[in-house]
Amino acid sequence: MDVMPLLLLVAGSAAVAGAARRGPVPAPLLLVAVGLAVSYLPGVPDYTLDPEVVLPLLLPPLLYTSAVDSSYLDLRAQLRPVALLSVGYVLFATVVVGYAAHLIVPGLPLTAALVLGAVVAPPDAVAATAVARRVGLPSRITTILQGESLLNDATAITAYKVALAAAIGEGATWAGGIREFLLAAVGGVGIGLVLMAPLHWLRTHLREPLLQNTLSLLIPFVAYSVAEQVHASGVLAVVVVALYLGHRAWEVDFATRLQEEAVWKMVAFILESAVFALIGLQLPVVLKGLGTSEGAAAAWYAVALFLVVVAARFVWVYPGTFLPRLSARVREREQNPTWRGAMVTGWAGMRGVVSLAIAFSIPLTVHGGHPFPQRNLILFLTFTTVIGTLVVQGLTLPPLIRLLKFPGRDRQAETLAEANAQAQASRTAENRLDELLADERNALPPPLADRLRAVLERRRNAVWERLGQVNPVTGESVDDTYRRLSREMISAEREVFVKLRDHRYIDDEMLRTLLRRLDLEEAAAYREAG
């Protein structure tokens, strides 16, 4: 097996994503553009997107890392709009886009068109949420977009299976489709509920951070595969487990949390970069199956389908946002939405790798051995819809958000809330310290007891000091000055340790021990100041 293409994909996509962090274009969009450009360079191998790799191997960890970082409480508070988008909109888009494709493309049977509708129905909000964080969207809109992306794949995959069964002649019915959808949804949630508590118990009882993080890497694959084995939704199983583990992450050892955050950041960075690069690299593969005579007509079909996909989302989002407000109960429980929020939510319907992976899983033949109707054209239209939404909507979303002038986050209020929370926690910790020191079994020399109180006081004051104090000479905030001086001191210590090792006063093992201690001190200083 030649691993060089895989190494080139990972290294190249990581390099492009790293460069995107220094530029104005969001990383997903730059990766897609570079993938398109690179796909026709001489010597570049064909990177065929295999659904048997993407769905069971790439989708679970991407879902897991997004869900772990999401807020269960925020998602629960926005459950109605999230459900309307992740379930209602996906089913609506499947029917509308499918029927439109049936009318637009001559000779495309309605059953095959509904397969196309299900394929392009789920937005992939990875790019949208990346843009949202970058330009500072209100947290409510970001939560809704994240929640939609976590759950809509399950709806789309189930809708695709039902439409595919009808297209290949397996006699699927609406009643059977609804039953399969409910079984997949209830089964996926049920599997997640069954697995989440035992997996959390195992994490908290392993004790070894390396073992806990190894388990963390396995969890999304375990949840996905167990659910798929019983024909339930692996997507929902992964999301339920991840939301629970993220909500209870405070019960895990601090060393595990530090390692886990670093590990999953790296995994998410590599997978997301490779996935968006793969989207662009699919162009030769898609065009290879499309005859030259179909090219001009297919381009017109692609433009028309793109417009239908964009319009259908707005047709669903605006009524779905404002009609529920007719209910007094909804008005009492939820904050009032704005037309600007609905505009951004409607325009943030970018498609992604899941749509392409599902499209590539369409079988070559139907019952009787006949070719699947216009399969190559369906692949092409899926590809152009994904590229079109990523490029057109992705590039215009940041200026649209700036044009709409959303109110920015109140940093002063956030810092004040943080300071109050820290003050309450510090008072409790100080009372607990007094109780412990009153016990003769916990006797400490006065300097050490004072040091514990000083550390507590420093944590308490650090947040209050961020409420607007600025160094009049350098223009730095107090926390920036604290961080800079702390790093300078630690850097001076680090240089001494290295010189002592070089002169053989200490060995390398002792150097690593001392440097790790300094690393933890530097991390603590960064967190306290930041």
Side-chain angles (χ1 to χ4, degrees):
M1 178 180 178
D2 187 5
V3 298
M4 186 56 68
L6 178 61
L7 293 176
L8 290 174
L9 172 64
V10 173
S13 57
V16 173
R21 295 188 171 212
R22 300 177 178 270
V25 181
L29 309 183
L30 186 61
L31 284 161
V32 170
V34 172
L36 287 169
V38 169
S39 64
Y40 276 99
L41 291 179
V44 174
D46 286 342
Y47 287 92
T48 304
L49 206 157
D50 188 350
E52 294 185 1
V53 172
V54 172
L55 295 180
L57 294 181
L58 296 185
L59 186 57
L62 288 173
L63 285 169
Y64 182 84
T65 186
S66 296
V68 163
D69 288 338
S70 300
S71 169
Y72 161 72
L73 297 177
D74 288 347
L75 283 175
R76 189 178 66 178
Q78 306 299 335
L79 185 59
R80 185 195 57 78
V82 167
L84 280 175
L85 286 173
S86 60
V87 179
Y89 166 70
V90 171
L91 297 177
F92 173 77
T94 298
V95 174
V96 170
V97 175
Y99 190 70
H102 171 63
L103 298 177
I104 292 169
V105 181
L108 182 65
L110 181 59
T111 52
L114 288 174
V115 169
L116 173 60
V119 165
V120 299
D124 180 359
V126 172
T129 51
V131 172
R133 290 193 188 99
R134 192 167 184 169
V135 298
L137 266 181
S139 59
R140 181 177 183 271
I141 299 176
T142 305
T143 298
I144 291 173
L145 292 176
Q146 282 181 320
E148 178 191 12
S149 69
L150 290 175
L151 303 174
N152 61 7
D153 292 337
T155 307
I157 291 171
T158 306
Y160 163 76
K161 290 179 180 178
V162 175
L164 183 65
I168 64 177
E170 292 186 354
T173 63
W174 284 107
I178 294 172
R179 184 170 59 250
E180 182 173 350
F181 175 78
L182 291 176
L183 286 174
V186 174
V189 173
I191 294 294
L193 292 173
V194 169
L195 291 177
M196 64 185 192
L199 288 172
H200 179 66
W201 181 89
L202 188 57
R203 286 182 80 209
T204 55
H205 285 76
L206 281 176
R207 301 300 178 191
E208 275 290 331
L210 286 176
L211 292 177
Q212 289 173 323
N213 279 284
T214 301
L215 176 64
S216 176
L217 290 173
L218 294 175
I219 283 173
F221 303 105
V222 170
Y224 187 89
S225 60
V226 169
E228 291 293 322
Q229 285 294 319
V230 297
H231 305 290
S233 171
V235 170
L236 290 179
V238 172
V239 170
V240 169
V241 169
L243 285 174
Y244 179 82
L245 295 181
H247 190 64
R248 305 289 293 271
W250 61 274
E251 299 178 15
V252 180
D253 182 76
F254 80 95
T256 298
R257 284 197 302 274
L258 290 174
Q259 284 188 15
E260 189 174 55
E261 182 182 8
V263 167
W264 276 109
K265 276 186 177 180
M266 180 192 67
V267 170
F269 174 75
I270 291 174
L271 292 183
E272 288 176 5
S273 302
V275 158
F276 283 106
L278 273 173
I279 292 175
L281 290 167
Q282 297 310 297
L283 180 60
V285 179
V286 171
L287 292 181
K288 191 178 294 183
L290 199 65
T292 54
S293 60
E294 300 177 86
W300 286 111
Y301 302 153
V303 172
L305 191 69
F306 168 77
L307 295 175
V308 170
V309 168
V310 173
R313 185 163 174 90
F314 281 103
V315 170
W316 179 267
V317 165
Y318 269 94
T321 299
F322 295 105
L323 287 181
R325 304 292 300 173
L326 298 175
S327 167
R329 185 178 180 184
V330 171
R331 290 197 300 270
E332 291 173 2
R333 297 178 60 180
E334 299 178 11
Q335 67 183 80
N336 193 30
T338 65
W339 68 269
R340 293 181 297 181
M343 172 69 75
V344 170
T345 302
W347 195 243
M350 291 171 269
R351 272 54 178 178
V353 71
V354 172
S355 292
L356 276 175
I358 298 175
F360 276 103
S361 69
I362 297 174
L364 295 174
T365 59
V366 298
H367 279 185
H370 300 291
F372 191 96
Q374 304 196 47
R375 180 180 185 272
N376 290 328
L377 181 60
I378 290 176
L379 288 177
F380 175 77
L381 293 177
T382 302
F383 178 81
T384 54
T385 301
V386 170
I387 295 296
T389 55
L390 281 174
V391 173
V392 175
Q393 293 177 298
L395 287 176
T396 56
L397 186 59
L400 174 65
I401 294 171
R402 288 192 290 268
L403 180 66
L404 294 175
K405 295 181 179 178
F406 283 94
R409 294 171 60 179
D410 191 341
R411 300 289 184 181
Q412 193 82 352
E414 290 178 1
T415 304
L416 185 61
E418 181 186 353
N420 285 322
Q422 181 64 62
Q424 293 182 42
S426 296
R427 282 195 297 270
T428 302
E430 196 166 16
N431 292 336
R432 179 58 177 159
L433 178 61
D434 291 337
E435 291 175 7
L436 292 171
L437 292 177
D439 189 335
E440 61 181 14
R441 292 174 300 178
N442 297 320
L444 275 180
L448 290 180
D450 291 342
R451 182 180 178 184
L452 287 174
R453 289 192 174 90
V455 169
L456 198 60
E457 184 71 16
R458 187 176 64 185
R459 274 204 299 270
R460 179 164 48 210
N461 292 337
V463 186
W464 291 106
E465 289 167 352
R466 296 213 308 272
L467 288 171
Q469 294 190 26
V470 176
N471 188 315
V473 178
T474 64
E476 290 180 320
S477 62
V478 170
D479 56 311
D480 287 335
T481 304
Y482 178 89
R483 184 185 300 121
R484 179 170 55 82
L485 296 182
S486 177
R487 283 182 169 174
E488 289 289 344
M489 292 168 58
I490 290 172
S491 178
E493 286 188 78
R494 190 177 285 123
E495 290 177 6
V496 171
F497 290 147
V498 172
K499 286 180 180 179
L500 291 174
R501 189 277 312 270
D502 292 343
H503 289 88
R504 309 307 297 164
Y505 287 107
I506 60 175
D507 59 19
D508 281 283
E509 184 177 355
M510 184 174 292
L511 175 66
R512 284 190 289 268
T513 300
L514 293 168
L515 291 182
R516 175 171 173 75
R517 192 176 299 160
L518 287 180
D519 291 341
L520 292 173
E521 288 283 348
E522 188 170 4
Y526 182 85
R527 294 298 300 167
E528 286 169 10

